[in-house]
Amino acid sequence: MSGGGEGNSAYGHKAFKRSRSHFADRITADGRDGRPVEAGRYRLVVSRACPWASRALVSRRLLELEHVLSLAVVDPIQDDRSWRFTLDPDGRDPVLGIRFLSEAYDRRETGYPGGVSVPAVVDVPSGELVTNDYQQITLDLATEWSALHRPGAPDLYPRARRDEIDTVMAEVYEDVNNGVYRAGFATNQEEYEAACAGVFRRLELLEPRLAGQRYLVGDTITEADIRLFTTLVRFDAVYHGHFKCNRWKLAESPVLWAYARDLYQTPGFGDTVDFDHIKRHYYQVHTGINPTRIVPLGPDLSGWLSPHHREELGGRPFGDGTPPGPVPPGEEVPPQGRP
């Protein structure tokens, strides 16, 4: 998710087009891009408000990479210099020593003209950005970082099912992950209606698939579930109202609502979600479509903890593995961000 004062105020006034990741160096087991997997060398910078960054948060928790890949969480409210570390003492990241994520971008490429986006992985020794490729970061965490995974970590991108996972993820990305943004930032009625229709058409196609199986691909959690979850968990809180994706609420779809609650209650998913950050970011930063910056009081979030009964479909959330351990001290979601 990119940020910056001008860009945020422009949403709703010019056609929305998601930027491609400009910095796409890969951190690999063999270091072929000059960026080898190494414990303690890199820092993951996220916003808990951002669905694209939240994918990396979930993957990192499920694989329990917290002890080898440190975490920086930015303020959900940006200023004209974009993502900032104002949640940290003195407004400075304690590891990187910077006040704005843009400083890591500048160290990589002075005068970079694009937006400053999360998730971002920063090289700690040099302080420069390595990658902001949100599509590839989680795939590499699941595969290239395997030597540092915890014992019992799930296989989030199983080789035998990658073609099916890739197909499902591509459809979900086009119509749902990115579709809600195209609807929310549409500049005319026709553009909005096409995007909104696409969102609900895809969700309705997913319903029968998930009515008969617990997870999107196979009987275990995969990368496909992570990518759908990070949009679904924001649906009623922000996309239904703020982005006008309001043909129906997630809570009105028995299958998708149960599926989303099942994942939310699975260790590694809900314990990374901060609804306070989500609501304040969307409603207070996107001034182009919400100029008053008023944050709604609703919806009631308590339903996220209600029984889902999805275990009756079978499935093994972690395959032959085990759940991740407790959230590390200092990374817990504050009480105001939970249901």
Side-chain angles (χ1 to χ4, degrees):
M1 181 181 286
S2 295
E6 180 183 352
N8 292 315
S9 62
Y11 288 146
H13 299 287
K14 64 179 182 180
F16 175 74
K17 183 179 181 182
R18 185 163 302 284
S19 301
R20 295 183 62 184
S21 299
H22 183 71
F23 302 102
D25 286 7
R26 292 180 61 191
I27 300 169
T28 58
D30 63 7
R32 56 187 177 271
D33 280 3
R35 310 285 189 174
V37 170
E38 183 181 327
R41 176 171 172 176
Y42 306 100
R43 189 156 175 82
L44 175 64
V45 182
V46 303
S47 164
R48 291 191 187 273
C50 170
W52 319 98
S54 291
R55 298 173 175 184
L57 270 175
V58 173
S59 297
R60 177 177 172 271
R61 277 283 296 131
L62 291 174
L63 302 171
E64 215 166 289
L65 290 169
E66 293 102 327
H67 63 295
V68 297
L69 177 62
S70 66
L71 180 69
V73 178
V74 295
D75 195 312
I77 308 302
Q78 303 154 311
D79 67 10
D80 58 1
R81 289 189 62 180
S82 190
W83 299 111
R84 52 189 184 160
F85 295 102
T86 43
L87 301 181
D88 295 302
D90 301 320
R92 192 181 294 275
D93 180 81
V95 173
L96 301 173
I98 57 178
R99 295 185 180 277
F100 298 90
L101 179 56
S102 60
E103 295 174 58
Y105 276 69
D106 289 340
R107 288 177 185 174
R108 172 67 184 273
E109 182 179 314
T110 304
Y112 161 63
V116 177
S117 65
V118 288
V121 180
V122 179
D123 179 66
V124 173
S126 67
E128 69 175 29
L129 179 76
V130 175
T131 177
N132 65 348
D133 189 346
Y134 62 92
Q135 299 281 48
Q136 190 64 46
I137 287 172
T138 48
L139 296 179
D140 284 344
L141 291 180
T143 56
E144 299 292 335
W145 289 67
S146 58
L148 297 177
H149 291 178
R150 64 180 173 88
D155 186 351
L156 299 175
Y157 197 44
R159 189 173 298 276
R161 291 190 171 271
R162 286 183 186 177
D163 287 347
E164 185 180 2
I165 292 171
D166 289 345
T167 297
V168 171
M169 291 194 305
E171 294 169 347
V172 168
Y173 171 83
E174 179 64 26
D175 295 333
V176 181
N177 300 147
N178 205 42
V180 293
Y181 281 85
R182 286 188 287 108
F185 297 146
T187 58
N188 59 66
Q189 190 71 27
E190 183 179 9
E191 182 184 347
Y192 158 73
E193 289 186 9
C196 187
V199 169
F200 287 94
R201 181 173 60 249
R202 180 60 55 190
L203 292 177
E204 287 163 359
L205 287 171
L206 291 171
E207 285 179 314
R209 182 188 188 98
L210 289 167
Q213 62 189 57
R214 192 170 178 184
Y215 304 110
L216 279 172
V217 180
D219 66 349
T220 64
I221 291 166
T222 68
E223 175 78 12
D225 297 294
I226 295 172
R227 295 190 181 193
L228 179 56
F229 171 80
T230 57
T231 294
L232 294 184
V233 80
R234 289 161 173 76
F235 205 88
D236 288 1
V238 289
Y239 300 147
H240 180 273
H242 184 59
F243 278 178
K244 305 180 186 70
C245 292
N246 60 359
R247 279 187 50 202
W248 38 264
K249 295 179 180 177
L250 178 66
E252 294 168 353
S253 167
V255 172
L256 293 178
W257 177 222
Y259 165 78
R261 298 200 319 277
D262 184 7
L263 291 176
Y264 183 87
Q265 294 171 35
T266 299
F269 284 84
D271 50 21
T272 70
V273 175
D274 190 324
F275 284 109
D276 174 63
H277 278 207
I278 290 168
K279 289 176 61 176
R280 287 195 292 122
H281 171 79
Y282 280 88
Y283 284 103
Q284 293 190 323
V285 172
H286 297 160
T287 54
I289 55 176
N290 187 40
T292 64
R293 304 181 76 238
I294 292 172
V295 180
L297 293 175
D300 179 7
L301 299 173
S302 61
W304 281 101
L305 301 177
S306 63
H308 53 76
H309 306 295
R310 294 282 293 179
E311 63 277 358
E312 296 171 8
L313 292 171
R316 302 170 301 142
F318 304 100
D320 295 328
T322 56
V327 177
E331 293 192 11
E332 304 93 340
V333 175
Q336 68 267 26
R338 303 180 216 148

